[in-house]
Amino acid sequence: MSPARSGFGQLLLRLHFYAGLLVAPFLLVAALTGIAYVFTPQIEKAVYADELTVSAPAGARAIPLSQQLAAARAVHPTGDLIGVRPGRPETTTQVDFTSPDLDEEHQHTVYVNQYTGRVTGQMTTWWATTPLRTWFDDLHTNLQLGTVGYFYSEFAASWLWVIALGGVILWFRRQRGKRMLRPDLGAKKGVRRTRGWHASTGLWLSIGLLFLSATGLTWSNYAGVNFGNAVDALDGSRPEVSTTLTAAAAAPAAGGHHGGGAPTTGDTPVDPAAIDKVWPAATAAGIDGPVAITVPGDNATAWGVTEQDGRWPMRRDGVAVDGATGQITDTINYADWPFMAKLTQIGIYAHMGDLFGLANQIVLAALALGLICVIVWGYRMWWQRRPTRTGRRAIVGTPPVGPGAWQKLPAWAIVVGVPMILAVGYFLPLFGVPLAAFIAFDVLIATIRRRRRTASIPVSPAPAGVALTSPQEASAQGADQG
């Protein structure tokens, strides 16, 4: 094996060992909380059955949305009406109101039986998400610790791809060919058997783990901002319908409630009853399925109606509707989204377990369980490699490669690699900063060990009449003689 190849392999092995050892606890927590979160739709239906679901009487039809809004307003007389999600055959209509005691991200949501107009409950929601799902979401992303807790999930996502790719490369160097796809079944016990299960399982999971790492970083505090800027630069942001109305478009048709035809202004309060024009116009334009209706703040703004079907991301069409006339003023079709916007949307839905419903949830749960097994096997290998001979016993094994492996790299690798690592570290700060700390620690340990070895070398006394020379002086003398 060439020195360059040996240096690369030793450095990667040492980095994979320490990264796995130190990041694994965070990945373990992320996997366990992720399994809990991914099945929240089923838990929600059980916990909030009264608020979220209704029994559809045979042949019954939903009452007009305006009547459902009136029922919601009766139990929530304060705050602005900001959003409506019409009920489907077996779900309630959800009506969102602002409240002075809540921030912009939270609303009071009132749930209305779409067939009878009876209010089935109300709760404080976060971006229309129930408290239960919000709690599991916070548990997975920040461990219920707020801003500080987000460091844990970003740290885990920033290193997951490094550990996964590093493991694949190391396993390829060791096994190569088809033997990579299965553990060494001939090994009955010991490190060899555990390594086989650890590495081959990690190989099968690698694509999924890389996906989770990439999509998880889009929500992170630091890397997420960089990702958002990159998406914007690539024209990959999700398009939104324009809800701006001209003065002519904002004017109601002649013969309104009082027979007048004067144009309205932006200061005129929005009439909730206009939803009975908005909703039919949107459905006639092909907007169906789970839908979110955005209520404008004034009559100079159109109503927004957008499909919200996470199971089928291609159902994300949206329209803007003039509440006074019921006319469609703008349309955005999913087919016209930029490619990066489509890719981002699909990635978000898949990471959350919404894409294709239960199938997506099962795949994510399997990925998380597989990752847990890989982590457990990794720690088991560390324990199995411990010294067991008398006088050298230890609880765990020593690192597979000593410090200073990076010094064995050729000069060109350092020249090319350092700028690349700096660039990745800038984009992913919670990868770059820990990596710099690891390298500094590795250099420090290598320096201390080298000095200890030098100090432990015995110096033999020189014969009488023989002058002592240093290795550098001897080399210089030899050069002069040559």
Side-chain angles (χ1 to χ4, degrees):
M1 181 180 297
S2 66
R5 188 174 180 183
S6 175
F8 282 122
Q10 291 185 26
L11 178 61
L12 182 59
L13 182 58
R14 184 168 176 81
L15 181 63
H16 183 76
F17 171 78
Y18 276 111
L21 189 68
L22 300 176
V23 181
F26 298 90
L27 293 175
L28 186 62
V29 172
L32 292 171
T33 57
I35 292 175
Y37 174 80
V38 81
F39 289 108
T40 51
Q42 287 79 6
I43 302 174
E44 276 183 326
K45 288 182 179 180
V47 175
Y48 301 123
D50 293 338
E51 291 86 354
L52 299 178
T53 60
V54 295
S55 298
R61 300 182 63 179
I63 63 176
L65 276 176
S66 59
Q67 296 182 27
Q68 299 181 50
L69 296 189
R73 175 59 82 182
V75 300
H76 198 287
T78 61
D80 297 328
L81 172 66
I82 58 174
V84 182
R85 289 174 297 286
R88 287 165 286 161
E90 296 182 353
T91 65
T92 55
T93 294
Q94 302 177 22
V95 186
D96 298 328
F97 296 96
T98 63
S99 178
D101 60 333
L102 298 176
D103 57 31
E104 294 182 354
E105 297 182 357
H106 292 82
Q107 311 88 33
H108 284 157
T109 299
V110 178
Y111 301 85
V112 183
N113 186 318
Q114 59 176 305
Y115 302 105
T116 65
R118 183 179 66 87
V119 172
T120 61
Q122 58 179 312
M123 62 182 77
T124 300
T125 57
W126 176 69
W127 297 121
T129 302
T130 64
L132 183 143
R133 187 160 190 172
T134 301
W135 191 89
F136 278 107
D137 186 7
D138 287 341
L139 181 67
H140 179 58
T141 57
N142 60 46
L143 300 180
Q144 298 289 339
L145 298 176
T147 302
V148 175
Y150 282 105
F151 286 104
Y152 121 81
S153 56
E154 183 168 356
F155 177 64
S158 297
W159 279 90
L160 177 57
W161 67 275
V162 179
I163 296 172
L165 280 180
V168 170
I169 295 172
L170 290 172
W171 189 232
F172 174 78
R173 288 167 57 88
R174 178 180 290 271
Q175 294 293 100
R176 301 182 185 276
K178 295 181 180 179
R179 291 187 300 171
M180 296 175 60
L181 300 177
R182 66 180 189 276
D184 187 356
L185 301 178
K188 301 302 181 182
K189 60 181 180 179
V191 176
R192 183 180 171 188
R193 181 180 180 85
T194 306
R195 182 191 297 118
W197 283 102
H198 171 85
S200 58
T201 303
L203 177 64
W204 282 100
L205 298 177
S206 58
I207 299 299
L209 297 180
L210 292 176
F211 166 80
L212 291 179
S213 176
T215 53
L217 286 170
T218 62
W219 283 292
S220 60
N221 281 1
Y222 299 103
V225 173
N226 295 330
F227 177 83
N229 293 336
V231 169
D232 291 340
L234 296 172
D235 191 26
S237 299
R238 184 177 67 188
E240 301 287 348
V241 293
S242 173
T243 57
T244 301
L245 294 176
T246 62
H257 289 296
H258 301 287
T264 59
T265 67
D267 295 332
T268 306
V270 173
D271 182 6
I275 198 170
D276 288 341
K277 291 182 179 179
V278 172
W279 181 227
T283 55
I287 305 298
D288 60 0
V291 168
I293 300 176
T294 303
V295 182
D298 53 57
N299 281 320
T301 307
W303 295 57
V305 186
T306 308
E307 294 175 338
Q308 301 284 320
D309 193 349
R311 294 174 301 172
W312 305 98
M314 62 287 301
R315 298 180 64 182
R316 291 286 297 182
D317 298 342
V319 296
V321 185
D322 184 350
T325 64
Q327 294 179 347
I328 303 295
T329 61
D330 192 29
T331 301
I332 290 291
N333 294 318
Y334 178 80
D336 299 327
W337 284 24
F339 173 76
M340 280 298 298
K342 292 180 180 179
L343 192 63
T344 301
Q345 190 68 61
I346 291 174
I348 290 173
Y349 281 143
H351 189 107
M352 296 175 64
D354 293 334
L355 193 66
F356 308 134
L358 182 61
N360 191 176
Q361 294 175 293
I362 293 174
V363 170
L364 288 177
L367 264 176
L369 288 173
L371 178 59
I372 292 171
C373 291
V374 169
I375 291 172
V376 171
W377 285 324
Y379 279 115
R380 178 172 173 78
M381 279 194 297
W382 187 32
W383 178 76
Q384 288 176 322
R385 293 183 65 253
R386 73 196 188 284
T388 56
R389 290 182 295 177
T390 303
R392 292 194 59 196
R393 294 184 181 275
I395 299 177
V396 293
T398 58
V401 179
W406 63 275
Q407 296 174 329
K408 299 180 182 179
L409 295 177
W412 67 264
I414 297 177
V415 171
V416 174
V418 169
M420 291 179 59
I421 291 176
L422 289 176
V424 175
Y426 176 82
F427 193 81
L428 307 177
L430 290 192
F431 163 74
V433 173
L435 179 61
F438 164 77
I439 294 176
F441 176 78
D442 195 64
V443 171
L444 177 63
I445 294 300
T447 302
I448 293 174
R449 288 191 176 185
R450 185 168 57 251
R451 289 181 176 178
R452 285 180 176 177
R453 285 196 301 267
T454 303
S456 64
I457 298 176
V459 179
S460 302
V466 178
L468 292 175
T469 58
S470 67
Q472 290 81 3
E473 292 173 338
S475 176
Q477 293 173 6
D480 293 341
Q481 295 173 2

